[in-house]
Amino acid sequence: MSEQSFEQMLNESFKTIHTGEVVSGTVLDVKEDQIILNIGYKSDGVITRNEYTNNNSLDLRTVVQIGDELEAKVMKVNDGDGQVSLSYRRLAADRGNKRLEEAFNNHEVLKAKVVQVLNGGLSVLVDEARVFIPASLVSDSYERDLNKYADQEIEFVITEFNPRRRRIIGDRKQLMQAAKAEMQKELFSRIKVGDVVEGTVKNVTNFGAFVDLGGADGLLHISEMSWGRIENPKKVLKSGDRVRVFIKEISGTKIALSLKFPEQNPWIDAAEKYAQGNIVRGRVARMTDFGAFIELEPGVDALLHVSQIARKHIDKPSDVLEIGDEIEAEIVEFNADDRKISLSMKALENMQGDEIVYEDAAPQDEQ
């Protein structure tokens, strides 16, 4: 046997490595943008910042220390400078892809941080493996601005896994729909007509407001917002308001809500307050050619016929009255069954000099 040179024996003492192989080593040196590893090979291994992380501003000295043990993937056995080119990031991505494949096959729910907000959706990282969540699958409702998700941890499932085409798709929407369906089921199992519940105003329209009851939305129609007259729901409620309402009707998954609590019905004691002969004050709420409707309190209107405004002839109420005017008049008719009250200002003209006692029926500000 021929004698081997020292260099030959030294080379044979080192292990052999191949491109694509996973190696482990001890950190010999760390710079801001580079890590040097002893991998038991005749040459040291080098991990650049780009092969460690996607964060181009990361100082490697803040995450790796001399003496640390690291695993990495061999990219080149000789990088041209006699060193082995390694990648920590790609090894993590390979493992991340494997993790994603398992999650895809098992329909597992994953949780990861949003690393980038794109025009068409969100990008999240799972062990350095990227998952794209299209804007249409981010939420169960339209999201105008996705920037609120930046740097947030979100849950999702993998609905498409094709790493060769770099197409790994996540879906958050179906999780939200499933959670909402469960909440809806629980809500409908415990509520009934007549229950008083609390909710959050979700949206206000010209015809009413939708209130989130925690599992389902209920409609609070404009006609159910007050015993009085409401001209515009947006002047009464706004998105985010907390409201206490009672359930008026349940039809399938539709819930009708009301703020007109029965015990607050102003007609409960109207017979006493607005008995014939009582003198009251009220506000002109609206007018027609035949008379003016006077709001005595929210939910209680009375008719002041044009013939009862004054002794002298008046063609139409608008000749002497305006919307918002406060007037005083005598109750000349009260009909509880039809909820009709008739007034007369003319009757008061015959009572000049008599002591007039006004009932406590001053109008409240319109809600």
Side-chain angles (χ1 to χ4, degrees):
M1 180 182 295
S2 59
E3 293 185 1
Q4 292 178 307
S5 66
F6 175 77
E7 183 178 357
Q8 288 175 319
M9 289 188 293
L10 183 62
N11 288 338
E12 289 178 0
S13 69
F14 292 110
K15 63 183 180 182
T16 58
I17 60 174
H18 306 281
T19 299
E21 183 180 346
V22 176
V23 297
S24 61
T26 303
V27 176
L28 297 175
D29 190 23
V30 184
K31 298 179 181 178
E32 181 181 355
D33 59 356
Q34 184 175 265
I35 301 170
I36 306 299
L37 282 181
N38 175 6
I39 57 175
Y41 186 63
K42 61 183 179 181
S43 300
D44 291 331
V46 177
I47 303 175
T48 63
R49 178 160 50 198
N50 289 339
E51 292 299 338
Y52 184 86
T53 179
N54 287 306
N55 184 351
N56 294 327
S57 62
L58 178 66
D59 185 341
L60 297 180
R61 293 171 298 186
T62 64
V63 292
V64 177
Q65 305 295 322
I66 293 176
D68 287 351
E69 294 290 327
L70 286 182
E71 283 190 324
K73 186 175 183 178
V74 177
M75 305 307 297
K76 292 181 181 179
V77 175
N78 188 332
D79 63 0
D81 293 325
Q83 295 178 308
V84 182
S85 177
L86 303 174
S87 177
Y88 177 84
R89 178 176 61 84
R90 298 191 200 192
L91 174 61
D94 288 344
R95 290 175 174 173
N97 280 336
K98 185 177 181 181
R99 174 82 177 89
L100 293 176
E101 184 176 16
E102 292 174 351
F104 172 69
N105 292 330
N106 298 327
H107 307 288
E108 181 183 350
V109 177
L110 297 173
K111 188 174 185 178
K113 185 177 181 180
V114 175
V115 295
Q116 192 174 9
V117 177
L118 307 169
N119 288 333
L122 305 175
S123 178
V124 300
L125 275 184
V126 177
D127 297 334
E128 296 298 324
R130 285 187 177 268
V131 177
F132 177 65
I133 303 178
S136 61
L137 299 180
V138 170
S139 177
D140 61 345
S141 59
Y142 174 68
E143 294 277 13
R144 185 180 299 274
D145 184 9
L146 296 179
N147 286 306
K148 68 179 184 180
Y149 292 102
D151 298 322
Q152 299 295 315
E153 282 199 337
I154 61 174
E155 290 187 333
F156 56 93
V157 291
I158 305 298
T159 55
E160 186 175 344
F161 182 78
N162 192 335
R164 290 185 179 180
R165 295 180 55 193
R166 295 185 178 179
R167 186 173 174 82
I168 304 176
I169 305 298
D171 185 344
R172 181 173 178 264
K173 179 179 179 178
Q174 67 173 263
L175 295 182
M176 297 182 68
Q177 290 176 329
K180 184 170 290 186
E182 188 62 31
M183 290 177 64
Q184 185 184 78
K185 181 180 178 182
E186 190 276 332
L187 175 69
F188 279 95
S189 71
R190 60 179 170 82
I191 62 172
K192 63 183 182 298
V193 173
D195 283 353
V196 176
V197 295
E198 287 192 356
T200 303
V201 176
K202 191 174 181 180
N203 187 33
V204 183
T205 69
N206 291 330
F207 60 84
F210 290 95
V211 181
D212 183 356
L213 302 177
D217 293 344
L219 174 61
L220 177 61
H221 194 268
I222 183 173
S223 62
E224 295 295 330
M225 287 186 171
S226 171
W227 285 108
R229 188 179 181 85
I230 299 294
E231 298 292 340
N232 187 345
K234 295 180 180 179
K235 293 182 178 180
V236 180
L237 296 171
K238 63 181 183 299
S239 295
D241 284 350
R242 291 288 295 175
V243 291
R244 183 173 176 269
V245 294
F246 80 89
I247 298 174
K248 184 177 182 181
E249 183 181 353
I250 299 175
S251 178
T253 58
K254 295 181 179 179
I255 305 173
L257 305 173
S258 180
L259 282 169
K260 294 164 67 172
F261 292 92
E263 65 273 16
Q264 297 173 359
N265 188 339
W267 285 90
I268 292 177
D269 57 354
E272 179 181 351
K273 293 171 66 175
Y274 306 117
Q276 184 174 338
N278 286 355
I279 297 172
V280 294
R281 290 189 178 96
R283 181 178 65 84
V284 178
R286 57 193 188 281
M287 287 188 286
T288 67
D289 288 342
F290 62 83
F293 288 92
I294 312 300
E295 183 185 59
L296 301 181
E297 64 176 292
V300 179
D301 288 353
L303 173 63
L304 175 64
H305 194 271
V306 64
S307 63
Q308 296 299 315
I309 293 178
R311 286 180 180 177
K312 65 180 182 179
H313 176 74
I314 295 174
D315 288 330
K316 53 184 183 294
S318 58
D319 290 341
V320 293
L321 297 174
E322 293 183 358
I323 301 294
D325 283 353
E326 289 196 5
I327 62 102
E328 55 188 16
E330 181 182 343
I331 305 288
V332 293
E333 183 181 356
F334 178 85
N335 187 325
D337 293 334
D338 295 334
R339 292 188 174 181
K340 290 182 178 180
I341 301 174
S342 296
L343 303 176
S344 176
M345 294 176 66
K346 184 170 68 173
L348 294 186
E349 295 185 21
N350 298 324
M351 301 174 63
Q352 297 298 323
D354 295 337
E355 182 180 355
I356 301 174
V357 178
Y358 295 103
E359 294 298 316
D360 184 16
Q364 302 178 20
D365 291 337
E366 187 172 9
Q367 295 183 14

